[in-house]
Amino acid sequence: MSAPTDGGRGALIGITAYAEQARWGEAWDLPAALLPRAYVDAVAGAGGVPVMLPPVPGIEHAVAGVDALVLAGGGDIDPGRYGAAAAERTAGVDPGRDASEFALLEAALERGLPVLGVCRGMQVMNVSRGGTLHQHLPDVVGGDAHRRRTAVFDPHPVRVSPGSRTAEVLGRSELEVPTYHHQGVDALGAGVVATAWTEDGIVEAVEFTDEPRALGVQWHPEMGDDPSLFRWLVEEAGSARAER
């Protein structure tokens, strides 16, 4: 297959979705597979074609038809996956979504697809390699800097390791990012390296040492005005497609 001349434009970008009760229109209130529109717009704005991947058994086979994977944000991962009991504030655990996303990540990496983990998605990446999580950050850092208000993506500063892949993608080593999370990385998994941190020392980005096309961030780039991470993903998707 010849290399694309459009830098990956038109690449199919799979985005993991939620299974939730939802309301729309004048009468409908039904179980739904859904995704915040910001992810769709961010992928499309970077030149990719967004494809929603619902949390159903066997969804990992969908990686055969996409060029990259976004592990989206959402509820907490089952602490049993990293050998812990659920803490009081752990919430929104969905075993079906956990199963589908861990399987999707493994299948995507086996196929050589680029992966971008966002918030929960970064945590999935770490736990998949044997890492652990802090289950409630206010208990660790003594404040609410990572989730100040309900349903508001407030900004906070992040320091990125110079020379890291993350810094290369972002084009700088200091930035303000939109954030909304109450859990975070504790112990790093095998082959997982931290590349960005907040002032209180919480990990804000990770890379896989053995997978140059896998990158995770704890913040929500889809809610900000910096498209660099999604542009990187679409470009890498085009390159990966050309190599297959």
Side-chain angles (χ1 to χ4, degrees):
M1 185 179 294
S2 61
T5 59
D6 54 8
R9 182 164 293 276
L12 301 178
I13 311 298
I15 313 171
T16 60
Y18 302 60
E20 300 284 352
Q21 190 77 13
R23 299 180 64 183
W24 67 95
E26 295 183 356
W28 304 113
D29 186 348
L30 295 169
L34 56 85
L35 183 71
R37 177 65 185 260
Y39 288 100
V40 172
D41 291 343
V43 166
V49 177
V51 178
M52 191 170 73
L53 302 175
V56 296
I59 191 64
E60 66 271 17
H61 299 297
V63 300
V66 299
D67 301 303
L69 174 66
V70 176
L71 296 168
D76 297 337
I77 298 167
D78 180 358
R81 284 190 171 264
Y82 49 93
E88 180 181 357
R89 298 295 186 90
T90 294
V93 173
D94 181 345
R97 184 172 180 186
D98 286 351
S100 67
E101 289 189 351
F102 279 89
L104 275 166
L105 175 58
E106 180 179 359
L109 294 176
E110 286 180 356
R111 191 169 170 79
L113 301 187
V115 175
L116 174 62
V118 174
C119 196
R120 167 195 160 90
M122 186 190 89
Q123 296 168 12
V124 168
M125 292 173 67
N126 187 54
V127 173
S128 76
R129 293 293 182 93
T132 65
L133 303 178
H134 295 299
Q135 291 192 50
H136 191 56
L137 288 179
D139 296 338
V140 178
V141 301
D144 61 357
H146 297 270
R147 189 170 71 181
R148 297 176 193 157
R149 297 179 288 171
T150 301
V152 177
F153 294 86
D154 285 311
H156 65 49
V158 166
R159 173 178 56 86
V160 184
S161 177
S164 65
R165 188 182 321 133
T166 308
E168 180 181 355
V169 170
L170 293 170
R172 56 200 191 280
S173 58
E174 295 184 1
L175 64 158
E176 291 268 334
V177 299
T179 188
Y180 192 81
H181 63 106
H182 84 112
Q183 297 197 337
V185 166
D186 184 5
L188 291 166
V192 181
V193 60
T195 56
W197 304 263
T198 45
E199 294 175 341
D200 54 20
I202 297 301
V203 173
E204 285 285 322
V206 300
E207 300 172 5
F208 284 175
T209 59
D210 59 341
E211 297 285 353
R213 288 173 170 154
L215 195 157
V217 296
Q218 185 60 71
W219 67 88
H220 283 268
E222 80 283 2
M223 299 305 299
D225 56 6
D226 180 0
S228 57
L229 286 163
F230 290 99
R231 286 178 177 170
W232 165 81
L233 187 71
V234 171
E235 290 282 345
E236 289 294 330
S239 297
R241 182 175 58 189
E243 294 168 4
R244 293 198 295 275

